[in-house]
Amino acid sequence: GDSVTQMEGPVTLSEEAFLTINCTYTATGYPSLFWYVQYPGEGLQLLLKATKADDKGSNKGFEATYRKETTSFHLEKGSVQVSDSAVYFCALRGDSSYKLIFGSGTRLLVRP
Amino acid sequence: EAGVTQFPSHSVIEKGQTVTLRCDPISGHDNLYWYRRVMGKEIKFLLHFVKESKQDESGMPNNRFLAERTGGTYSTLKVQPAELEDSGVYFCASSQDRPTEAFFGQGTRLTVV
């Protein structure tokens, strides 16, 4: 079945460091790919998405490119801030499905 | 516009007791979903309503879990009787007719002791 694998955390970075959180997926057809974020004490929020191969999703300085050849959707940010500290979830939705399939989440801690 | 609202935010119950979680979706969203994250693992799909009908309940773990959505508005998820392994964060989400973005609530943290 469809699945998502993302790097285990926690990831600890200093402010202004470069961030990469790896995400790979297994799916049939052409899934849509998502990154969700959960800030401390809050619910899940959609951070960015891509619906077809080579699409780049971006938001709040974060980017991820849908790479079908490597079945990946890695999250990147050039310069992280303390306020980016959160848990990040990679997810996919099959092209004929309504449900989301999530990875296990990666906790990011950014230190001043 | 109000977002997805879940009640309660936290619940601590003893093993064997019953707990009911509630979710109020965004007004006009026909699709409502329940998900669960157990012990820091991945968030797993439980079930999907379209209006008041269960479209997909393939993720429900066992018959101790009962979800309802009377009238196609709010939904409840009842766990009876609760077991220790049911502890986790239960998320509700809703979306419009087409499978567009799903909006999530803040979750209910359930602790079974």
Side-chain angles (χ1 to χ4, degrees):
Chain A
D2 295 352
S3 66
V4 174
T5 302
Q6 61 182 106
M7 62 189 290
E8 291 189 17
V11 174
T12 303
L13 296 173
S14 298
E15 205 165 23
E16 299 184 2
F18 184 86
L19 168 71
T20 299
I21 299 178
N22 291 336
C23 171
T24 57
Y25 68 90
T26 301
T28 55
Y30 300 91
S32 295
L33 302 175
F34 306 84
W35 277 100
Y36 280 83
V37 59
Q38 185 178 22
Y39 297 103
E42 299 185 14
L44 283 169
Q45 302 174 25
L46 178 64
L47 180 60
L48 53 85
K49 66 180 180 183
T51 57
K52 60 183 186 295
D54 300 325
D55 268 2
K56 176 185 284 187
S58 61
N59 186 27
K60 299 181 180 181
F62 291 89
E63 293 184 340
T65 301
Y66 188 144
R67 301 287 188 197
K68 191 161 180 64
E69 64 276 14
T70 55
T71 61
S72 64
F73 193 55
H74 305 321
L75 182 68
E76 296 182 336
K77 187 175 185 181
S79 176
V80 294
Q81 305 300 311
V82 173
S83 57
D84 293 327
S85 298
V87 182
Y88 293 81
F89 295 91
C90 185
L92 70 82
R93 188 182 64 219
D95 55 9
S96 59
S97 174
Y98 280 74
K99 68 184 180 185
L100 290 163
I101 296 171
F102 287 88
S104 55
T106 302
R107 181 176 296 278
L108 170 66
L109 175 61
V110 181
R111 294 179 171 166
Chain B
E1 178 182 299
V4 177
T5 307
Q6 294 187 242
F7 304 97
S9 56
H10 294 85
S11 180
V12 180
I13 62 171
E14 293 184 350
K15 176 182 173 180
Q17 289 186 322
T18 297
V19 63
T20 300
L21 314 181
R22 172 169 169 149
C23 170
D24 286 74
I26 293 173
S27 177
H29 282 192
D30 287 340
N31 294 282
L32 186 149
Y33 316 83
W34 284 98
Y35 290 84
R36 177 175 75 167
R37 189 182 191 210
V38 173
M39 291 183 62
K41 296 185 178 179
E42 69 269 26
I43 300 169
K44 286 193 174 181
F45 169 83
L46 295 179
L47 87 160
H48 170 209
F49 283 100
V50 177
K51 297 183 179 179
E52 67 276 9
S53 299
K54 292 177 185 175
Q55 186 76 11
D56 180 356
E57 51 184 331
S58 60
M60 294 288 265
N62 51 61
N63 59 10
R64 296 185 293 103
F65 289 75
L66 175 64
E68 295 180 322
R69 193 182 182 194
T70 307
T73 54
Y74 71 91
S75 174
T76 57
L77 179 64
K78 180 188 289 187
V79 185
Q80 179 182 27
E83 299 289 344
L84 298 178
E85 64 264 26
D86 300 332
S87 297
V89 180
Y90 290 77
F91 291 101
C92 176
S94 70
S95 68
Q96 293 180 329
D97 291 343
R98 296 168 60 192
T100 53
E101 176 185 349
F103 294 86
F104 281 79
Q106 292 191 327
T108 294
R109 180 174 296 277
L110 173 65
T111 303
V112 183
V113 297

